[in-house]
Amino acid sequence: MSRKTILHMLTPLRQMSPFDVNMALDAGYDHVVPYTDVTLADVTGLVQDAIFSRPPDAGTATGVFLAGRDTVLALDMIDAARKAMVPPFEISVFADPAGSFTTAAAMVAKVETALAKQHGRGHSGTKVAIFGATGVVGYCTAVISAKEGAEVTIVGHDGPGRVEQIAEAVKARFGVTVKAADGSTEEKKAALLRETEVILSAAKAGVRVISAEQLRAAKHLLVAADVNAVPPSGIEGLTANAKSDKLGETAAIGIGALTIGNLKYKTQSGLFKQMISAEKPVIYDFQDAFALARSIEK
């Protein structure tokens, strides 16, 4: 008799996202149990309650999902969950705070496909500027792109201070280098775009960060992608439905939020399904999400 699959969903927020609950159930989990207001210090106890309440061979039938809105906290929670395992008592873990891990993975995978199809190249050596880089999607996008060999610049809308701190944290945690730049004025953004080949916009919903005039100054631009589906678009002229469509008056192509969102959906669902079907417990972060998104794109 097969065991019921159980997913314990942990969030530091006061409520669990209905989106994530629906995704997990539709992917095949029998039971989904949300836990709210969870702190980093709570993770060890919750994970150990989950691992010791079932026999070791039920490891893949038991999972933990880490939500919230904080990339660094989610990564710290993954580390805490990993350390809480007591082999052979282990379970699967998947983090995707605010859907940011799978969204970032989908955006970079879509851009990779566009670069290959349109220009016969990959991320290696490509000059990438990320706007909205202080948010959860921007952080993950920066790390994934840099790990793929891109020359990444994270742009601060409120000056260089916060993005410089993020660049230092990324270097310390992942061993990759990203540059920090001041994008607090229209002139400074335009100057950055003159050398940019790929624009990745991960700003807040309904916030425009790049104008059509600034795009015209981006003479080397190849691809622009935006995860904002709420009007106005983050990049002027880039519609939410764009699928490698010509972008305004530029020679570049644009990838819209709904196109990215479709791949994000498949990636998150796919990781849940992989957790259920795995032969041994797995632990997934945004790098694993990118690996799956990339394979779906091929």
Side-chain angles (χ1 to χ4, degrees):
M1 179 178 177
S2 61
R3 291 186 176 89
K4 296 290 187 181
T5 54
I6 304 172
L7 183 66
H8 303 279
M9 306 186 82
L10 281 53
T11 179
L13 306 178
R14 65 182 181 86
Q15 60 190 23
M16 178 59 66
S17 165
F19 185 101
D20 294 327
V21 172
N22 289 349
M23 289 287 289
L25 287 168
D26 286 344
Y29 274 99
D30 295 313
H31 301 287
V32 169
V33 186
Y35 303 74
T36 58
D37 296 312
V38 176
T39 69
L40 178 59
D42 295 328
V43 172
T44 297
L46 289 169
V47 168
Q48 291 187 342
D49 272 358
I51 64 175
F52 290 133
S53 59
R54 307 184 89 180
D57 62 358
T60 56
T62 313
V64 167
F65 179 78
L66 302 171
R69 293 198 188 102
D70 187 322
T71 301
V72 174
L73 177 57
L75 293 171
D76 288 344
M77 284 184 164
I78 287 178
D79 290 341
R82 181 184 286 109
K83 292 174 183 176
M85 307 295 180
V86 184
F89 292 92
E90 298 176 282
I91 58 177
S92 293
V93 180
F94 171 26
D96 196 15
S100 61
F101 286 12
T102 48
T103 299
M107 178 157 63
V108 179
K110 281 289 183 184
V111 169
E112 180 179 64
T113 298
L115 286 171
K117 289 184 176 179
Q118 300 291 330
H119 304 285
R121 60 189 289 182
H123 281 97
S124 183
T126 299
K127 296 178 179 179
V128 175
I130 301 174
F131 294 82
T134 57
V136 285
V137 175
Y139 181 104
C140 303
T141 301
V143 177
I144 296 170
S145 300
K147 278 182 164 287
E148 291 303 306
E151 296 179 17
V152 177
T153 299
I154 53 176
V155 184
H157 72 277
D158 54 357
R162 286 201 296 162
V163 285
E164 286 174 351
Q165 292 178 354
I166 290 171
E168 291 172 1
V170 166
K171 177 68 173 179
R173 187 160 205 150
F174 296 99
V176 294
T177 299
V178 300
K179 300 176 183 177
D182 184 355
S184 58
T185 68
E186 300 305 299
E187 293 76 16
K188 288 177 179 178
K189 283 192 286 187
L192 285 167
L193 291 176
R194 290 191 189 104
E195 301 302 320
T196 297
E197 294 173 306
V198 171
I199 298 172
L200 302 179
S201 177
K204 291 181 180 179
V207 175
R208 173 154 292 159
V209 292
I210 304 295
S211 68
E213 182 178 353
Q214 289 165 339
L215 285 175
R216 285 193 289 271
K219 302 299 184 183
H220 301 288
L221 187 63
L222 304 174
V223 181
D226 182 15
V227 296
N228 173 25
V230 179
S233 58
I235 300 172
E236 189 171 3
L238 180 50
T239 67
N241 290 307
K243 299 178 180 179
S244 294
D245 300 334
K246 185 178 183 301
L247 179 59
E249 299 176 15
T250 74
I253 58 172
I255 303 170
L258 296 182
T259 299
I260 294 168
N262 183 49
L263 180 57
K264 173 263 189 298
Y265 180 93
K266 293 177 181 176
T267 301
Q268 184 175 357
S269 178
L271 289 174
F272 279 135
K273 290 175 181 177
Q274 286 184 182
M275 288 173 71
I276 295 170
S277 64
E279 293 183 0
K280 60 182 181 180
V282 293
I283 298 179
Y284 293 142
D285 64 11
F286 60 83
Q287 297 173 95
D288 303 288
F290 176 62
L292 180 57
R294 171 188 261 171
S295 70
I296 294 171
E297 273 289 276
K298 289 182 178 178

